[in-house]
Amino acid sequence: MRVLSGVQPSGTLHIGNYFGAIRQFIELQNEHECYYFLADLHALTTVRDPDRMRALVRELAAGYLALGLDPERSVIYRQADMPEIPELTWYLSTVTSMGLLQRCHSFKDKVAQGVVPNHGLFTYPVLMAADILIVRSDLVPVGKDQKQHLEVTRDIAASFHATYGVEVFTLPEPLIRDDVAVIPGVDGQKMSKSYGNTIDIFGPEKPIRKRIMSLVTDSTPVEDPKPKEGNALYQLLKIFAPAEDREWVERAFVEGGVGYGDMKKRLFEYFLATFGQARARYDELMADPAEVDRILLAGADRARETVAPLMDDVRRAVGIR
Ligand code: TRP
């Protein structure tokens, strides 16, 4: 199977990103032909500072590589290095109805929030359809919030086929896992950049430690048993504790005698044990931007080979060739 997914460089990687998506991307590499790209053209609909844009792309690439996306096994590239993608976007946009895009939640939500929509935001799902269709991907691992975009992608492909009477695209299926744990943020809500409650994976230890120590807890005294239900600290400890410490975590909550402060210190140690290697690799990559650029350009070269026959079919279908 051919797998494709894209991630917008629009913020710093946090542990919710890892357990919610990146870990799955890494696992999929073992069984499938995977294409993973940085959706920098998409990010332009919101990121307006060019220096920040460059930094976000570099950080995201270094983060993904450090966590285990492997350029030997997967094709890893930057969307903007593939001009075929905006080219395909245009062909697709001519067979996409306005109504289809007007029905997209992502667009409607932004407008409801009072964002003055630009055309890029409106046409965002067409660019996404081009990302997906251009490599003839079978499976697209995404979060639930992207399900509609996959339906739109299939609709657009079908509309192209109906318009030109040739079947050039593969209709992709979303891969949406509902068994992935919702990672709580430091305030107990779902961890999300937009809630400002994230725990970053990379960057200096001190602010991360501080962040973990700021996790919201109740006022149960040290010696008492602690509630597990709805307790973000408990959920995070369960996720991070190594097998031999799971007992300890259970007992700490059920029997009492361990304060929340000590539990948080443990959590920070587990965090470092889990991500220590990736964090070291990240620092190396960030110190060697030329290496990151080389990997991304090599990925784009490989992706270009994959998309060439499809682009040929599409250009012929529409009569440009
Ligand atoms: N829209 C996706 C998001 O915000 C990112 C994305 C862009 C994407 N193109 C894609 C995801 C293609 C999967 C496939 O999460």
Side-chain angles (χ1 to χ4, degrees):
M1 293 266 224
R2 193 171 277 176
V3 170
L4 169 131
S5 199
V7 182
Q8 282 198 58
S10 52
T12 311
L13 283 180
H14 57 75
I15 62 177
N17 297 135
Y18 178 75
F19 292 104
I22 304 171
R23 189 167 62 167
Q24 188 188 9
F25 292 174
I26 293 165
E27 284 166 11
L28 286 165
Q29 296 183 121
N30 299 327
E31 287 162 51
H32 301 288
E33 180 188 347
C34 297
Y35 289 77
Y36 296 124
F37 71 97
L38 312 180
D40 52 357
L41 298 179
H42 277 105
L44 284 179
T45 59
T46 50
V47 181
R48 298 301 192 183
D49 171 346
D51 288 329
R52 183 166 150 72
M53 187 70 205
R54 279 182 278 268
L56 284 170
V57 166
R58 183 152 289 155
E59 285 169 19
L60 187 64
Y64 269 65
L65 295 167
L67 288 167
L69 285 200
D70 178 0
E72 301 289 318
R73 287 188 288 166
S74 301
V75 184
I76 300 168
Y77 55 100
R78 210 164 65 115
Q79 194 179 26
D81 287 332
M82 297 284 293
E84 294 88 341
I85 296 173
E87 183 188 347
L88 179 59
T89 302
W90 180 254
Y91 303 140
L92 297 178
S93 74
T94 66
V95 297
T96 304
S97 75
M98 294 285 285
L100 184 66
L101 300 179
Q102 270 155 351
R103 284 193 295 276
C104 286
H105 304 306
S106 56
F107 181 72
K108 287 199 289 192
D109 290 350
K110 289 265 164 53
V111 174
Q113 285 163 21
V115 174
V116 179
N118 57 58
H119 176 254
L121 198 65
F122 185 64
T123 205
Y124 182 112
V126 189
L127 180 58
M128 182 158 164
D131 295 328
I132 295 169
L133 297 173
I134 203 166
V135 307
R136 289 189 161 124
S137 43
D138 303 295
L139 275 184
V140 183
V142 281
K144 286 193 196 78
D145 61 323
Q146 298 295 318
K147 189 168 178 226
Q148 191 187 33
H149 286 153
L150 263 291
E151 285 158 13
V152 167
T153 298
R154 295 169 59 97
D155 285 351
I156 294 175
S159 165
F160 187 98
H161 292 163
T163 304
Y164 292 107
V166 275
E167 304 251 322
V168 291
F169 299 120
T170 300
L171 295 193
E173 294 288 342
L175 182 63
I176 297 171
R177 297 214 337 210
D178 29 48
D179 60 328
V180 290
V182 172
I183 308 298
V186 292
D187 60 356
Q189 293 188 82
K190 175 183 161 55
M191 187 176 290
S192 162
K193 189 185 63 175
S194 43
Y195 297 151
N197 63 0
T198 57
I199 299 171
D200 290 349
I201 301 175
F202 303 111
E205 274 182 29
K206 241 193 165 158
I208 295 177
R209 186 172 191 282
K210 226 174 127 183
R211 198 78 174 157
I212 288 177
M213 296 309 290
S214 80
L215 247 155
V216 173
T217 45
D218 57 35
S219 52
T220 313
V222 174
E223 58 277 9
D224 288 7
K226 314 282 184 295
K228 297 199 275 187
E229 190 76 14
N231 193 324
L233 180 55
Y234 176 70
Q235 285 168 277
L236 289 169
L237 280 167
K238 288 256 291 195
I239 290 164
F240 277 100
E244 66 272 21
D245 279 12
R246 298 227 177 103
E247 263 291 320
W248 180 86
V249 172
E250 284 301 318
R251 266 194 287 118
F253 277 83
V254 175
E255 293 173 9
V258 185
Y260 282 133
D262 286 334
M263 293 184 187
K264 291 178 190 175
K265 284 185 195 149
R266 282 267 189 146
L267 178 60
F268 179 63
E269 284 167 29
Y270 297 151
F271 164 86
L272 286 183
T274 306
F275 290 118
Q277 239 182 339
R279 287 168 51 80
R281 178 77 184 121
Y282 178 84
D283 291 343
E284 277 169 30
L285 287 165
M286 289 302 283
D288 189 1
E291 170 68 0
V292 176
D293 291 348
R294 188 195 61 73
I295 292 170
L296 292 178
L297 283 174
D301 282 343
R302 284 174 65 195
R304 190 158 302 114
E305 280 173 38
T306 301
V307 311
L310 179 276
M311 287 307 290
D312 211 47
D313 290 350
V314 170
R315 293 181 192 122
R316 277 176 206 286
V318 301
I320 294 273
R321 288 283 178 279

